[in-house]
Amino acid sequence: MYPHAVRLHSPRKPRSRPASLAALLITVIASFLGLAPAPAHAASLQEVTGFGSNPGNLQMFRYVPDGLPAGRPLVVALHGCTQSAAGYDDETGWTKWADTHGFALLLPQQKAANNANSCFNWFQTSDTSRGQGEALSIKQMTDRMKADFGSDTARVYVTGLSAGGAMTSVMAAAYPDVFAGAAVVAGLPYDCARSVLEAFSCMSPGSDLSPQQWGDKVRAAHPGYGGPWPAMSVWHGSSDTKVAPMNMTEVVEQWTNVHGTDATPDVSDTVQGYPHNVYRDGSGRAVVESYSITGMPHGQPVDPGSAATQCGIAGQHFPDKDICASQRIGEFWGLNGSGGGPGALPEQTGPAGAPAPMPVAPR
């Protein structure tokens, strides 16, 4: 998460870079992370400019399958520190699922001018409040995607890893009227920190608040909003030494409280051998789920291969753990057609991971 790397300076001024230099920087970052070259696609990752006032001074990249019809879902994927859009698309498997299930993929990118380690500034209120900074820039990118491709406004989702996971919490809290679902991977609850010092403490050992206290923070992010709230999928490695695993518990407590349910799981099972909990609301809809990836350090699990449920490219922060997080997250959101909306996960799944979709209440 590297909060200490933030450069404290005067208000940001957008800066442009030559396309060739940007491409070179992306290549260097990917090489540094030990990531394999991305496989060829009919579509490609493209940078987009002119998506709004961009108060957070971010870059916008997108991957859209060729011939994508209007009315399809949109997924926003937020990279982690030292990463880039190009180092997060294929590596996580999100481009594979965009092609397979037919949805548009938006990949915001941080600039070194904003944070020396290219982390989204998840702990600065000027970047995490509704209508301000980086949060507003990401919202403006989302609006541009919806306008350009006629995305289904009821099926817009956001996910991210590490600092991107923390920023996912921000987007779900600040813009619950935009996102039907969210997935925090190795991230943090919303409004866990408002300074660099608090950010370090929040990351490790973690901040232990009551579910009501966490939930109140989300409700305060968009005063007067009464729902519906994004369905939340939470992933964390049990051996994460950068962001303490207790943060998974805190995120679960935050979002079960927001959804008006308790933090006692309605279903506890294993998926591909990993502990998995499901929390349902009064109508039986799965509103929160969590995966604890046993023995995994800081990162997002992938399962490289060509099988229907496999995805990703193993590398730094993308450990091969024989489970594809993006595949399971997409299933929870209903992107694979398993139930038509968030919470559309199997009622129970065993080690083989064979899904048995259940109907869910519409958002």
Side-chain angles (χ1 to χ4, degrees):
M1 296 261 189
Y2 309 108
H4 59 290
V6 175
R7 295 177 177 174
L8 302 179
H9 49 63
S10 58
R12 305 180 180 110
K13 296 180 180 179
R15 301 191 307 175
S16 61
R17 293 174 178 151
S20 58
L21 177 58
L24 176 61
L25 288 174
I26 289 171
T27 301
V28 170
I29 291 171
S31 176
F32 173 75
L33 291 175
L35 303 175
H41 293 286
S44 61
L45 190 67
Q46 298 178 331
E47 183 170 10
V48 180
T49 58
F51 52 83
S53 60
N54 190 18
N57 191 27
L58 302 179
Q59 290 176 276
M60 174 181 175
F61 290 84
R62 68 188 182 195
Y63 178 90
V64 181
D66 290 346
L68 185 72
R72 299 301 301 160
L74 168 63
V75 172
V76 181
L78 302 168
H79 65 76
C81 295
T82 75
Q83 296 176 337
S84 65
Y88 194 69
D89 53 358
D90 292 312
E91 289 73 13
T92 54
W94 279 116
T95 50
K96 174 179 178 176
W97 307 126
D99 289 329
T100 301
H101 302 310
F103 59 82
L105 182 62
L106 165 62
L107 297 118
Q109 181 170 294
Q110 182 60 284
K111 293 183 180 181
N114 304 331
N115 185 292
N117 279 307
S118 299
C119 312
F120 292 104
N121 290 313
W122 54 272
F123 50 89
Q124 295 188 159
T125 55
S126 59
D127 283 310
T128 61
S129 300
R130 184 180 174 93
Q132 296 184 39
E134 292 177 9
L136 179 55
S137 290
I138 295 169
K139 164 64 162 53
Q140 290 175 341
M141 295 180 199
T142 304
D143 290 340
R144 171 68 188 270
M145 292 290 288
K146 291 189 288 189
D148 285 355
F149 300 101
S151 304
D152 184 345
T153 58
R155 292 189 292 169
V156 180
Y157 311 95
V158 60
T159 183
L161 165 65
S162 188
M167 202 66 186
T168 293
S169 291
V170 168
M171 299 308 297
Y175 294 101
D177 50 337
V178 173
F179 299 102
V184 173
V185 184
L188 297 149
Y190 172 69
D191 199 15
C192 189
R194 297 186 182 184
S195 69
V196 172
L197 184 62
E198 289 181 354
F200 273 117
S201 178
C202 186
M203 289 165 58
S204 184
S207 182
D208 184 11
L209 301 182
S210 70
Q212 182 69 38
Q213 288 173 311
W214 283 126
D216 286 345
K217 287 176 176 287
V218 171
R219 287 181 284 270
H222 186 11
Y225 182 76
W229 300 96
M232 178 66 72
S233 182
V234 190
W235 294 68
H236 219 108
S238 68
S239 298
D240 192 334
T241 58
K242 292 184 178 180
V243 179
M246 75 165 288
N247 282 291
M248 180 180 74
T249 300
E250 305 307 303
V251 176
V252 167
E253 289 183 352
Q254 184 167 65
W255 287 94
T256 50
N257 182 265
V258 168
H259 280 284
T261 185
D262 59 41
T264 301
D266 296 287
V267 176
S268 291
D269 58 7
T270 59
V271 177
Q272 301 301 113
Y274 299 112
H276 171 236
N277 291 327
V278 180
Y279 306 81
R280 304 189 190 278
D281 64 13
S283 68
R285 175 175 175 257
V287 291
V288 178
E289 69 166 356
S290 67
Y291 283 84
S292 177
I293 308 303
T294 311
M296 188 179 77
H298 191 64
Q300 176 162 330
V302 296
D303 184 16
S306 58
T309 60
Q310 289 183 298
C311 80
I313 301 171
Q316 186 178 17
H317 303 312
F318 302 111
D320 181 353
K321 301 300 290 185
D322 297 323
I323 186 169
C324 170
S326 61
Q327 186 268 333
R328 291 284 172 176
I329 291 167
E331 184 176 88
F332 180 65
W333 291 340
L335 293 177
N336 64 344
S338 62
L345 80 171
E347 185 164 1
Q348 290 195 355
T349 52
M358 58 163 283
V360 295
R363 183 172 184 270

